[in-house]
Amino acid sequence: MKKFFIKAAVVAMAVAGAASVVHAADYSTRIVRFGYGLNEDSNQGRAVRYFADEVGKRTGGKWKVKGFGAAALGSDPQMQNALIGGAQEMMVGSTATLVGIVGDFGVYDLPFIFSNEKEADAVLDGPFGQKLMDRLQEKGLVGLVYWENGFRDLTNSKHPITKMEDMQGIKLRVMQNPVYIDMFKGFGANAVPLAFSELFAALETKTVDGQENPVTTIESSKFYEVQKYLSLTHHVYSPWIVLASKKWWDGLSADEKKAVQGAAIASRDFERKDSREASAKAIQDLKQKGMQVTTVSPAELERMRKTTTAAVDKFSADGHAQVVKDLQAALAAAKK
Ligand code: TK8
């Protein structure tokens, strides 16, 4: 009797062992449409290609991630809706444009909140960033990782901006997000919300005089062709978020989900390093392309920050008090 049990156990172990050796990971052949707003030759485009390669490697070549840059699949909000409906699988875009879906995402746009990239990484990759990302699920979106868009600076075609008053009368394109509208109205600009996909044409035809984006985007979008003045205001740290359609995600095998999640994390690390390198070079490049660069004094930035407290208070009072508190707590922990 004893002998039998031992024999059975040995057979069971052998079977289990064999199964784990021959177990083929469960990947179907799939094509993934991955949309993004910037040009293919940008930090965003490079990171999408990196992600595509990683997914290819991790699925034994069964998956093909096809990147569509320059908003070929639509603006950020249009793509978000395509993901929710299941007509598109993946995208990357600004967290700022998610406010129509989960309003609390406006919290990242509060001006002068993050002092440096290290703080941003800690908050975004920690429990605060994860919890906010998870709230997209009930809306039909799966948030995978945050990439870096970066600290935003101001450009315009009219005159150098060295202080707040210089923004008066400037028609400034902002993202479709109330925090930006309130912030720039507070500065005295004429804030015009517009999709990024419309922005170059709007600057070229002088429908708007200026815009604000990280220097990497100013360079890759060739805004220097239509904007003369750049002011280094660094008023907001702006994240990007990699999103998947929940409808599509729910149909993936566990192995497939693991492959995508692993590739997303690898792409995040690649993207941040690449963006930071590109950012360090961009100001010099933009000067060479003919832009006039203005540094704004710390005292003036402090004046600007004080002016934005009205926009912050309004955001809190609009039902976002808790998320503001939670972000402040996460930041305090990151600063330690
Ligand atoms: C790209 C946008 C862009 C953002 C903007 O699709 O709209 O100004 O900074 O990165 O998401």
Side-chain angles (χ1 to χ4, degrees):
M1 201 59 179
K2 201 176 161 197
K3 225 173 165 182
F4 169 77
F5 276 123
I6 290 168
K7 205 171 159 196
V10 168
V11 170
M13 271 160 66
V15 169
S20 72
V21 170
V22 299
H23 166 74
D26 181 12
Y27 306 123
S28 304
T29 303
R30 293 181 197 271
I31 291 183
V32 179
R33 285 158 296 181
F34 191 128
Y36 58 101
L38 298 195
N39 289 325
E40 285 178 18
D41 186 9
S42 67
N43 52 342
Q44 206 176 38
R46 290 191 292 275
V48 171
R49 288 189 289 279
Y50 183 94
F51 173 79
D53 281 352
E54 279 295 309
V55 170
K57 282 183 207 155
R58 286 163 197 254
T59 56
K62 285 221 177 155
W63 277 42
K64 190 161 172 31
V65 176
K66 290 181 86 168
F68 294 87
L73 300 183
S75 65
D76 285 6
Q78 284 167 337
M79 290 196 286
Q80 290 157 12
N81 286 326
L83 261 57
I84 291 168
Q88 180 184 328
E89 292 77 32
M90 292 189 74
M91 67 171 284
V92 62
S94 272
T95 52
T97 53
L98 280 171
V99 291
I101 295 169
V102 173
D104 276 356
F105 267 95
V107 76
Y108 293 131
D109 304 306
L110 296 180
F112 304 107
I113 284 266
F114 294 105
S115 321
N116 53 52
E117 287 93 353
K118 217 174 134 219
E119 279 177 21
D121 292 355
V123 170
L124 293 164
D125 301 344
F128 176 88
Q130 187 61 47
K131 204 172 137 201
L132 194 50
M133 201 146 72
D134 289 347
R135 291 192 32 216
L136 290 165
Q137 295 236 0
E138 66 189 63
K139 306 288 185 181
L141 294 170
V142 179
L144 290 164
V145 282
Y146 295 101
W147 287 356
E148 175 159 298
N149 188 350
F151 282 101
R152 302 178 80 91
D153 295 317
L154 204 57
T155 69
N156 84 97
S157 57
K158 293 239 153 151
H159 51 240
I161 291 176
T162 56
K163 56 182 190 309
M164 245 186 313
E165 286 70 17
D166 298 333
M167 285 188 230
Q168 268 166 28
I170 299 273
K171 260 197 180 173
L172 190 86
R173 176 271 176 177
V174 294
M175 288 192 275
Q176 297 139 299
N177 172 307
V179 179
Y180 281 93
I181 299 170
D182 293 337
M183 177 185 347
F184 281 98
K185 278 190 179 159
F187 292 152
N190 180 0
V192 185
L194 192 70
F196 185 83
S197 47
E198 321 264 324
L199 181 51
F200 188 91
L203 292 169
E204 192 173 33
T205 57
K206 299 231 167 24
T207 309
V208 294
D209 306 313
Q211 65 86 42
E212 44 82 52
N213 252 298
V215 285
T216 42
T217 295
I218 294 167
E219 185 173 19
S220 65
S221 302
K222 301 192 192 305
F223 290 160
Y224 52 82
E225 289 180 357
V226 287
Q227 300 276 273
K228 174 81 182 164
Y229 304 101
L230 166 63
S231 281
L232 303 176
T233 47
H234 273 42
H235 47 277
V236 173
Y237 176 88
S238 179
W240 279 325
I241 184 167
V242 176
L243 298 169
S245 157
K246 176 122 180 15
K247 265 195 182 161
W248 168 75
W249 181 259
D250 288 346
L252 302 180
S253 72
D255 287 327
E256 288 174 324
K257 287 179 184 165
K258 231 179 103 189
V260 176
Q261 279 160 334
I265 290 173
S267 75
R268 175 190 73 196
D269 297 343
F270 167 85
E271 194 273 347
R272 285 184 184 154
K273 189 167 176 284
D274 179 58
S275 287
R276 285 164 196 175
E277 283 166 12
S279 182
K281 272 184 67 248
I283 294 175
Q284 210 41 50
D285 293 349
L286 291 171
K287 277 186 188 159
Q288 268 161 20
K289 307 267 190 204
M291 285 194 100
Q292 188 177 317
V293 181
T294 306
T295 39
V296 182
S297 73
E300 182 56 28
L301 290 174
E302 179 54 20
R303 249 185 97 220
M304 287 171 69
R305 192 192 62 74
K306 282 200 180 123
T307 306
T308 62
T309 49
V312 177
D313 291 348
K314 188 170 167 216
F315 179 71
S316 281
D318 257 359
H320 306 294
Q322 190 58 50
V323 77
V324 173
K325 268 193 209 141
D326 292 349
L327 176 68
Q328 280 160 349
L331 254 172
K335 281 180 202 281
K336 271 191 194 146

